[in-house]
């Protein structure tokens, strides 16, 4: 008789966890910069004008939008920071990192082009760097985690094995 399958570490387990920690540090810093330095009322107003709103409409809309943007950004900051717990190897951390990075990676297609244009207009090419790093980095980490899940059929690149029960 055997116990249900158990997962044991592979040579890739610690590497994947360290990669997740490194990415989580970068994504936490990048998201913080994006949330509190790059995106402000002026930048949002400029991007809304680029999208076709009048100056008055853009100014009125940007203040409220900024509050919502920062609330969501803070959730991503906390989620990315929790990725630092990857070295613990808990399954819930794996799934949290997958969920947070799936949400953040959505920015690759969800951020309107006017936002990039406004960032470049106000800050130069460096203005889009936090978005490229956070959204693009989240996408790369997400793909890496999902590929490891498919290959190993267990979180954190663990291998599933059957554990025999003592007789």
């Amino acid at each position: 008789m055997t116990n249900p399958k158990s997962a044991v570490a592979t040579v890739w387990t610690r590497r994947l966890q360290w990669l997740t920690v490194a990415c989580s540090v970068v994504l936490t810093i990048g998201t913080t910069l994006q949330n509190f330095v790059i995106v402000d009322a002026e930048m949002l107003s400029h991007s809304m004008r680029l999208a076709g709103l009048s100056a008055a409409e853009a100014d009125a809309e940007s203040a409220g939008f900024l509050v919502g943007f920062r609330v969501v950004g803070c959730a991503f900051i906390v989620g990315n920071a929790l990725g630092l717990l990857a070295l613990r190897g808990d399954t819930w951390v794996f799934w949290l990192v997958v969920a947070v990075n799936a949400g953040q990676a959505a920015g690759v297609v969800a951020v309107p082009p006017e936002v990039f244009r406004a960032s470049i207009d106000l800050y130069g090419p460096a203005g889009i760097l936090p978005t490229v790093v956070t959204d693009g980095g989240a996408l790369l980490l997400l793909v890496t985690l999902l590929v490891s899940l498919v290959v190993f059929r267990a979180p954190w690149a663990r291998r599933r094995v059957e554990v025999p029960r003592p007789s």
Side-chain angles (χ1 to χ4, degrees):
M1 219 178 201
T2 60
N3 283 334
K5 291 186 178 181
S6 178
V8 296
T10 67
V11 67
W12 293 103
T13 299
R14 236 16 194 176
R15 293 174 185 173
L16 186 61
Q17 291 167 339
W18 274 110
L19 174 68
T20 300
V21 167
C23 289
S24 294
V25 168
V26 170
L27 293 172
T28 300
I29 292 168
T31 304
T32 302
L33 287 172
Q34 183 71 7
N35 207 38
F36 295 108
V37 177
I38 299 298
V39 177
D40 58 14
E42 178 186 359
M43 190 280 254
L44 286 174
S45 180
H46 183 57
S47 65
M48 289 178 183
R49 285 191 307 275
L50 289 171
L53 281 122
S54 70
E57 290 171 320
D59 289 342
E61 291 288 325
S62 65
F65 186 82
L66 181 60
V67 171
F69 178 87
R70 288 202 170 140
V71 167
V72 171
C74 286
F76 280 116
I77 292 167
V78 170
N80 284 317
L82 287 171
L84 298 174
L85 298 174
L87 292 177
R88 292 176 45 147
D90 294 335
T91 299
W92 72 267
V93 175
F94 180 88
W95 291 112
L96 176 73
V97 170
V98 166
V100 168
N101 284 277
Q104 198 152 5
V108 170
V109 293
V111 174
E114 293 85 6
V115 173
F116 292 116
R117 182 75 250 156
S119 291
I120 292 169
D121 289 350
L122 296 174
Y123 306 110
I128 63 168
L129 191 58
T131 298
V132 170
V133 168
T134 57
D135 297 355
L139 179 61
L140 292 174
L141 180 58
L142 175 64
V143 168
T144 301
L145 292 172
L146 293 177
V147 166
S148 79
L149 187 64
V150 168
V151 169
F152 292 96
R153 289 181 258 145
W156 298 125
R158 291 191 173 111
R159 178 87 51 209
R160 291 205 177 265
V161 295
E162 287 191 25
V163 179
R165 289 188 183 178
S167 303

